[in-house]
Amino acid sequence: MSELNGTAVTWLGHSTVHIETAAGTSILIDPFIEHNPKYPKGYVLPKKIDLLLLTHGHSDHIADAVSVAKKYEPSVVAIFELATWLGSKQVANVIGMNMGGSYVHKDVTATMVEARHSSSIEDDGRLIYGGEPAGFVITVAGGPTIYHAGDTSVYSDMQLLRELYQPGLAILPIGDHYTMGPKAAAMAAKYVGASKVLPIHYGTFPPLTGTPEQLRSFLEGTGIEVKAIKPGESLR
Ligand code: NI
Ligand code: MN
């Protein structure tokens, strides 16, 4: 499964990704907009966002979640603790779930899967417990299956994602320091069985030193394609 079949995947810098399916379902993942140094300047979000998926509570993933949720009124999918916190900020339509669970909206099934990382929420200068960090497998009926890993290291159980979901496109952090770097991300791509990788979470801040070129070199000879695009550009 390698074709996107009419689904557009737009990278908005760091971990922020917008996906629009052929049927018109609009999904935003990890909105980091106003203070995201790599957010494409002048880029305007689509008029409609049906689903807002949040991988974990760190501010470089949810900084604009409350404002986006209030403006667009999407269904907001996050792990229970983070969802509860959003509810306490008067965010409506919050769906708190946990590992292995799926939320279905029209042609899209979003399944919450493991990530090896930490999660906390900064609230009024304090760090509060954010539940476990997660990734999402996004299965589009009649379209692609896309894995957004969130922030994670590589782990061998990623092979279960290949068995269960066969993602064609893996959206993987490669920056190192806070997540896996390119060498481990290459192994993650092999574990999940994706034919294409969209590298994210690199170059935003000085410690995030991994590059798509390094990822490409670690994937040489595997047939797995690295689709490095600029923020604001789309895979189709
Ligand atoms: Ni994080
Ligand atoms: Mn992060």
Side-chain angles (χ1 to χ4, degrees), residues 14 16 30-36 56-65 117 119-123 127 151 205:
H14 204 55
T16 309
D30 284 359
F32 177 37
I33 296 172
E34 207 180 318
H35 298 290
N36 177 356
H56 65 295
H58 289 156
S59 59
D60 57 320
H61 298 258
I62 67 154
D64 297 276
H117 193 63
S119 180
S120 54
I121 307 162
E122 202 184 318
D123 189 346
L127 285 184
D151 281 359
F205 308 111

Side-chain angles (χ1 to χ4, degrees), residues 84-105:
T84 304
W85 179 83
L86 291 164
S88 78
K89 301 295 172 191
Q90 285 74 53
V91 171
N93 310 319
V94 180
I95 294 117
M97 36 184 236
N98 220 307
M99 297 306 154
S102 293
Y103 180 74
V104 180
H105 177 93

Side-chain angles (χ1 to χ4, degrees), residues 194-232:
S195 60
K196 292 179 167 59
V197 179
L198 169 58
I200 61 167
H201 210 277
Y202 68 92
T204 326
F205 308 111
L208 308 189
T209 55
T211 66
E213 293 69 35
Q214 291 167 335
L215 177 64
R216 213 168 263 138
S217 72
F218 287 116
L219 285 171
E220 218 172 277
T222 62
I224 301 171
E225 223 183 317
V226 177
K227 298 294 232 179
I229 54 176
K230 294 192 183 80

Side-chain angles (χ1 to χ4, degrees), residues 21-65:
T21 72
T25 302
S26 171
I27 306 155
L28 186 66
I29 307 161
D30 284 359
F32 177 37
I33 296 172
E34 207 180 318
H35 298 290
N36 177 356
K38 297 290 179 183
Y39 190 82
K41 277 196 176 50
Y43 182 90
V44 180
L45 287 174
K47 285 199 172 64
K48 179 181 78 120
I49 296 171
D50 301 296
L51 277 176
L52 181 62
L53 308 181
L54 305 174
T55 63
H56 65 295
H58 289 156
S59 59
D60 57 320
H61 298 258
I62 67 154
D64 297 276

